[in-house]
Amino acid sequence: MSADPFQLFDAWFAEARASEVNDAEAMALATAGALGQPSVRMVLLKGHGPEGFVFYTNEQSAKGAQLADNPQAGLLFHWKSLRRQVRIEGIVERVTDAESDAYFATRGRDSQLGAWASDQSRPLDTREHFEARFEAMEQKFDGRDVPRPPHWGGYRVVPRRIEFWFDRPHRLHERRLFTLGDGGWSEGLLYP
Ligand SMILES: Cc1cc2nc3c(=O)[nH]c(=O)nc-3n(C[C@H](O)[C@H](O)[C@H](O)COP(=O)(O)O)c2cc1C
């Protein structure tokens, strides 16, 4: 029997968007560096489907450096109001420049300028310094469109394993695990 985790993800994501107070698209992104040390932080889901789950960031950030060393990641959604979680694991690839350009163009001008002003993950001496950099970018791009910085773009987590966890009475929670094999996706149930 063929299994389709993406239809189930779409259904749960739609419910989460309707029920969560904010940021249903927020997900924890786990990466590990060359020495295997784990690291986790929140990012926002900006596109998804069978081809993968996309987020955008500064590739010179700590996560960008880890992904360059070790292009594997875990994603975790926790939709509290629904008492559900989704865990995704897979290989990470860069989205095309054209896709990053198209998404960057949809961002507000302040976010676009912020992408130029921020040296993500590097220590900053003062808040004023950051604000001065932002103002310098405002002047630099005054009167014209803000282009995408070359170090800013999208990553796609191409899933090999997706697990849906949901709350059931008497703490008998259920986990539906979808794994990708040679014959496509297959499904099994896990003990809670
Ligand atoms: C709800 C939420 C959403 C976030 N979304 C993003 C995002 O989409 N991209 C991003 O680069 N950082 C995002 N951040 C900031 C990251 O969590 C993190 O602080 C930053 O990317 C630096 O991480 P790094 O030093 O591990 O690379 C978000 C933070 C929160 C709390």
PDB file of all heavy atoms in Angstrom, residues 3-24:
ATOM      1  N   ALA A   3       1.979   4.995   0.756  1.00  0.00           N
ATOM      2  CA  ALA A   3       1.711   5.875   1.894  1.00  0.00           C
ATOM      3  C   ALA A   3       2.088   7.289   1.479  1.00  0.00           C
ATOM      4  O   ALA A   3       3.057   7.487   0.763  1.00  0.00           O
ATOM      5  CB  ALA A   3       2.536   5.426   3.089  1.00  0.00           C
ATOM      6  N   ASP A   4       1.338   8.275   1.938  1.00  0.00           N
ATOM      7  CA  ASP A   4       1.638   9.658   1.556  1.00  0.00           C
ATOM      8  C   ASP A   4       1.687  10.552   2.791  1.00  0.00           C
ATOM      9  O   ASP A   4       0.645  11.017   3.263  1.00  0.00           O
ATOM     10  CB  ASP A   4       0.592  10.176   0.577  1.00  0.00           C
ATOM     11  CG  ASP A   4       0.939  11.584   0.102  1.00  0.00           C
ATOM     12  OD1 ASP A   4       1.922  12.167   0.613  1.00  0.00           O
ATOM     13  OD2 ASP A   4       0.238  12.089  -0.779  1.00  0.00           O
ATOM     14  N   PRO A   5       2.907  10.777   3.329  1.00  0.00           N
ATOM     15  CA  PRO A   5       2.994  11.628   4.509  1.00  0.00           C
ATOM     16  C   PRO A   5       2.694  13.094   4.200  1.00  0.00           C
ATOM     17  O   PRO A   5       2.391  13.864   5.101  1.00  0.00           O
ATOM     18  CB  PRO A   5       4.454  11.465   4.948  1.00  0.00           C
ATOM     19  CG  PRO A   5       5.192  11.083   3.713  1.00  0.00           C
ATOM     20  CD  PRO A   5       4.225  10.286   2.877  1.00  0.00           C
ATOM     21  N   PHE A   6       2.766  13.483   2.923  1.00  0.00           N
ATOM     22  CA  PHE A   6       2.639  14.906   2.588  1.00  0.00           C
ATOM     23  C   PHE A   6       1.191  15.383   2.666  1.00  0.00           C
ATOM     24  O   PHE A   6       0.921  16.510   3.071  1.00  0.00           O
ATOM     25  CB  PHE A   6       3.275  15.175   1.221  1.00  0.00           C
ATOM     26  CG  PHE A   6       4.712  14.755   1.224  1.00  0.00           C
ATOM     27  CD1 PHE A   6       5.105  13.559   0.648  1.00  0.00           C
ATOM     28  CD2 PHE A   6       5.664  15.507   1.897  1.00  0.00           C
ATOM     29  CE1 PHE A   6       6.420  13.143   0.707  1.00  0.00           C
ATOM     30  CE2 PHE A   6       6.992  15.091   1.969  1.00  0.00           C
ATOM     31  CZ  PHE A   6       7.365  13.910   1.368  1.00  0.00           C
ATOM     32  N   GLN A   7       0.256  14.480   2.294  1.00  0.00           N
ATOM     33  CA  GLN A   7      -1.158  14.834   2.456  1.00  0.00           C
ATOM     34  C   GLN A   7      -1.496  15.011   3.929  1.00  0.00           C
ATOM     35  O   GLN A   7      -2.212  15.931   4.312  1.00  0.00           O
ATOM     36  CB  GLN A   7      -2.044  13.728   1.885  1.00  0.00           C
ATOM     37  CG  GLN A   7      -2.309  13.891   0.413  1.00  0.00           C
ATOM     38  CD  GLN A   7      -3.296  12.856  -0.099  1.00  0.00           C
ATOM     39  OE1 GLN A   7      -3.887  12.103   0.686  1.00  0.00           O
ATOM     40  NE2 GLN A   7      -3.458  12.803  -1.400  1.00  0.00           N
ATOM     41  N   LEU A   8      -0.964  14.108   4.747  1.00  0.00           N
ATOM     42  CA  LEU A   8      -1.234  14.203   6.185  1.00  0.00           C
ATOM     43  C   LEU A   8      -0.595  15.478   6.749  1.00  0.00           C
ATOM     44  O   LEU A   8      -1.202  16.194   7.552  1.00  0.00           O
ATOM     45  CB  LEU A   8      -0.688  12.960   6.901  1.00  0.00           C
ATOM     46  CG  LEU A   8      -0.933  12.872   8.398  1.00  0.00           C
ATOM     47  CD1 LEU A   8      -2.430  12.953   8.726  1.00  0.00           C
ATOM     48  CD2 LEU A   8      -0.359  11.566   8.957  1.00  0.00           C
ATOM     49  N   PHE A   9       0.642  15.789   6.300  1.00  0.00           N
ATOM     50  CA  PHE A   9       1.282  17.018   6.768  1.00  0.00           C
ATOM     51  C   PHE A   9       0.440  18.234   6.377  1.00  0.00           C
ATOM     52  O   PHE A   9       0.204  19.126   7.202  1.00  0.00           O
ATOM     53  CB  PHE A   9       2.707  17.160   6.196  1.00  0.00           C
ATOM     54  CG  PHE A   9       3.404  18.372   6.738  1.00  0.00           C
ATOM     55  CD1 PHE A   9       4.117  18.308   7.927  1.00  0.00           C
ATOM     56  CD2 PHE A   9       3.288  19.614   6.107  1.00  0.00           C
ATOM     57  CE1 PHE A   9       4.714  19.445   8.470  1.00  0.00           C
ATOM     58  CE2 PHE A   9       3.882  20.750   6.643  1.00  0.00           C
ATOM     59  CZ  PHE A   9       4.593  20.664   7.818  1.00  0.00           C
ATOM     60  N   ASP A  10      -0.027  18.264   5.135  1.00  0.00           N
ATOM     61  CA  ASP A  10      -0.851  19.406   4.679  1.00  0.00           C
ATOM     62  C   ASP A  10      -2.083  19.574   5.567  1.00  0.00           C
ATOM     63  O   ASP A  10      -2.441  20.702   5.935  1.00  0.00           O
ATOM     64  CB  ASP A  10      -1.317  19.201   3.239  1.00  0.00           C
ATOM     65  CG  ASP A  10      -0.206  19.448   2.244  1.00  0.00           C
ATOM     66  OD1 ASP A  10       0.830  20.008   2.629  1.00  0.00           O
ATOM     67  OD2 ASP A  10      -0.386  19.055   1.070  1.00  0.00           O
ATOM     68  N   ALA A  11      -2.714  18.463   5.888  1.00  0.00           N
ATOM     69  CA  ALA A  11      -3.947  18.522   6.693  1.00  0.00           C
ATOM     70  C   ALA A  11      -3.629  19.047   8.094  1.00  0.00           C
ATOM     71  O   ALA A  11      -4.333  19.934   8.618  1.00  0.00           O
ATOM     72  CB  ALA A  11      -4.592  17.142   6.766  1.00  0.00           C
ATOM     73  N   TRP A  12      -2.578  18.535   8.702  1.00  0.00           N
ATOM     74  CA  TRP A  12      -2.222  18.981  10.062  1.00  0.00           C
ATOM     75  C   TRP A  12      -1.755  20.437  10.052  1.00  0.00           C
ATOM     76  O   TRP A  12      -2.071  21.205  10.960  1.00  0.00           O
ATOM     77  CB  TRP A  12      -1.104  18.089  10.621  1.00  0.00           C
ATOM     78  CG  TRP A  12      -1.593  16.790  11.180  1.00  0.00           C
ATOM     79  CD1 TRP A  12      -2.719  16.106  10.828  1.00  0.00           C
ATOM     80  CD2 TRP A  12      -0.953  16.013  12.208  1.00  0.00           C
ATOM     81  NE1 TRP A  12      -2.808  14.957  11.558  1.00  0.00           N
ATOM     82  CE2 TRP A  12      -1.747  14.868  12.410  1.00  0.00           C
ATOM     83  CE3 TRP A  12       0.204  16.155  12.944  1.00  0.00           C
ATOM     84  CZ2 TRP A  12      -1.420  13.889  13.343  1.00  0.00           C
ATOM     85  CZ3 TRP A  12       0.544  15.178  13.870  1.00  0.00           C
ATOM     86  CH2 TRP A  12      -0.263  14.065  14.068  1.00  0.00           C
ATOM     87  N   PHE A  13      -1.007  20.809   9.028  1.00  0.00           N
ATOM     88  CA  PHE A  13      -0.490  22.182   8.941  1.00  0.00           C
ATOM     89  C   PHE A  13      -1.664  23.156   8.802  1.00  0.00           C
ATOM     90  O   PHE A  13      -1.687  24.217   9.453  1.00  0.00           O
ATOM     91  CB  PHE A  13       0.471  22.276   7.760  1.00  0.00           C
ATOM     92  CG  PHE A  13       1.259  23.555   7.685  1.00  0.00           C
ATOM     93  CD1 PHE A  13       1.846  24.111   8.810  1.00  0.00           C
ATOM     94  CD2 PHE A  13       1.437  24.204   6.474  1.00  0.00           C
ATOM     95  CE1 PHE A  13       2.589  25.286   8.737  1.00  0.00           C
ATOM     96  CE2 PHE A  13       2.179  25.374   6.388  1.00  0.00           C
ATOM     97  CZ  PHE A  13       2.749  25.918   7.520  1.00  0.00           C
ATOM     98  N   ALA A  14      -2.646  22.790   7.992  1.00  0.00           N
ATOM     99  CA  ALA A  14      -3.824  23.658   7.825  1.00  0.00           C
ATOM    100  C   ALA A  14      -4.550  23.809   9.164  1.00  0.00           C
ATOM    101  O   ALA A  14      -4.970  24.923   9.544  1.00  0.00           O
ATOM    102  CB  ALA A  14      -4.757  23.081   6.767  1.00  0.00           C
ATOM    103  N   GLU A  15      -4.676  22.720   9.892  1.00  0.00           N
ATOM    104  CA  GLU A  15      -5.337  22.805  11.208  1.00  0.00           C
ATOM    105  C   GLU A  15      -4.517  23.671  12.159  1.00  0.00           C
ATOM    106  O   GLU A  15      -5.065  24.462  12.932  1.00  0.00           O
ATOM    107  CB  GLU A  15      -5.497  21.407  11.812  1.00  0.00           C
ATOM    108  CG  GLU A  15      -6.642  20.616  11.224  1.00  0.00           C
ATOM    109  CD  GLU A  15      -6.776  19.264  11.917  1.00  0.00           C
ATOM    110  OE1 GLU A  15      -7.110  19.222  13.117  1.00  0.00           O
ATOM    111  OE2 GLU A  15      -6.514  18.244  11.255  1.00  0.00           O
ATOM    112  N   ALA A  16      -3.201  23.519  12.101  1.00  0.00           N
ATOM    113  CA  ALA A  16      -2.332  24.299  13.005  1.00  0.00           C
ATOM    114  C   ALA A  16      -2.426  25.785  12.684  1.00  0.00           C
ATOM    115  O   ALA A  16      -2.471  26.628  13.587  1.00  0.00           O
ATOM    116  CB  ALA A  16      -0.892  23.816  12.888  1.00  0.00           C
ATOM    117  N   ARG A  17      -2.485  26.119  11.396  1.00  0.00           N
ATOM    118  CA  ARG A  17      -2.588  27.544  11.023  1.00  0.00           C
ATOM    119  C   ARG A  17      -3.876  28.131  11.547  1.00  0.00           C
ATOM    120  O   ARG A  17      -3.937  29.313  11.894  1.00  0.00           O
ATOM    121  CB  ARG A  17      -2.527  27.699   9.511  1.00  0.00           C
ATOM    122  CG  ARG A  17      -1.167  27.364   8.976  1.00  0.00           C
ATOM    123  CD  ARG A  17      -1.089  27.638   7.510  1.00  0.00           C
ATOM    124  NE  ARG A  17      -0.342  28.856   7.298  1.00  0.00           N
ATOM    125  CZ  ARG A  17       0.433  29.080   6.258  1.00  0.00           C
ATOM    126  NH1 ARG A  17       0.529  28.195   5.313  1.00  0.00           N
ATOM    127  NH2 ARG A  17       1.102  30.192   6.137  1.00  0.00           N
ATOM    128  N   ALA A  18      -4.920  27.306  11.602  1.00  0.00           N
ATOM    129  CA  ALA A  18      -6.212  27.803  12.089  1.00  0.00           C
ATOM    130  C   ALA A  18      -6.251  27.868  13.606  1.00  0.00           C
ATOM    131  O   ALA A  18      -6.980  28.684  14.179  1.00  0.00           O
ATOM    132  CB  ALA A  18      -7.334  26.897  11.570  1.00  0.00           C
ATOM    133  N   SER A  19      -5.470  27.039  14.287  1.00  0.00           N
ATOM    134  CA  SER A  19      -5.645  26.928  15.741  1.00  0.00           C
ATOM    135  C   SER A  19      -4.526  27.573  16.563  1.00  0.00           C
ATOM    136  O   SER A  19      -4.775  28.007  17.689  1.00  0.00           O
ATOM    137  CB  SER A  19      -5.753  25.451  16.143  1.00  0.00           C
ATOM    138  OG  SER A  19      -4.510  24.822  15.950  1.00  0.00           O
ATOM    139  N   GLU A  20      -3.307  27.654  16.038  1.00  0.00           N
ATOM    140  CA  GLU A  20      -2.212  28.184  16.872  1.00  0.00           C
ATOM    141  C   GLU A  20      -2.358  29.693  17.038  1.00  0.00           C
ATOM    142  O   GLU A  20      -2.796  30.380  16.113  1.00  0.00           O
ATOM    143  CB  GLU A  20      -0.857  27.875  16.239  1.00  0.00           C
ATOM    144  CG  GLU A  20      -0.493  26.405  16.210  1.00  0.00           C
ATOM    145  CD  GLU A  20      -0.432  25.776  17.595  1.00  0.00           C
ATOM    146  OE1 GLU A  20       0.233  26.321  18.482  1.00  0.00           O
ATOM    147  OE2 GLU A  20      -1.082  24.743  17.786  1.00  0.00           O
ATOM    148  N   VAL A  21      -1.923  30.205  18.185  1.00  0.00           N
ATOM    149  CA  VAL A  21      -2.001  31.644  18.424  1.00  0.00           C
ATOM    150  C   VAL A  21      -1.112  32.391  17.428  1.00  0.00           C
ATOM    151  O   VAL A  21      -1.463  33.459  16.923  1.00  0.00           O
ATOM    152  CB  VAL A  21      -1.498  32.015  19.836  1.00  0.00           C
ATOM    153  CG1 VAL A  21      -2.126  33.285  20.331  1.00  0.00           C
ATOM    154  CG2 VAL A  21      -1.604  30.884  20.798  1.00  0.00           C
ATOM    155  N   ASN A  22       0.071  31.856  17.178  1.00  0.00           N
ATOM    156  CA  ASN A  22       0.961  32.467  16.184  1.00  0.00           C
ATOM    157  C   ASN A  22       1.974  31.425  15.693  1.00  0.00           C
ATOM    158  O   ASN A  22       2.116  30.353  16.284  1.00  0.00           O
ATOM    159  CB  ASN A  22       1.706  33.689  16.757  1.00  0.00           C
ATOM    160  CG  ASN A  22       2.471  33.347  18.011  1.00  0.00           C
ATOM    161  OD1 ASN A  22       2.898  32.208  18.194  1.00  0.00           O
ATOM    162  ND2 ASN A  22       2.659  34.308  18.879  1.00  0.00           N
ATOM    163  N   ASP A  23       2.623  31.758  14.590  1.00  0.00           N
ATOM    164  CA  ASP A  23       3.772  30.998  14.095  1.00  0.00           C
ATOM    165  C   ASP A  23       3.573  29.487  13.975  1.00  0.00           C
ATOM    166  O   ASP A  23       4.412  28.706  14.423  1.00  0.00           O
ATOM    167  CB  ASP A  23       4.987  31.258  14.999  1.00  0.00           C
ATOM    168  CG  ASP A  23       5.515  32.677  14.836  1.00  0.00           C
ATOM    169  OD1 ASP A  23       5.131  33.340  13.864  1.00  0.00           O
ATOM    170  OD2 ASP A  23       6.309  33.110  15.688  1.00  0.00           O
ATOM    171  N   ALA A  24       2.453  29.078  13.349  1.00  0.00           N
ATOM    172  CA  ALA A  24       2.294  27.632  13.095  1.00  0.00           C
ATOM    173  C   ALA A  24       3.426  27.122  12.215  1.00  0.00           C
ATOM    174  O   ALA A  24       3.726  25.935  12.206  1.00  0.00           O
ATOM    175  CB  ALA A  24       0.958  27.355  12.418  1.00  0.00           C
TER     176      ALA A  24
END
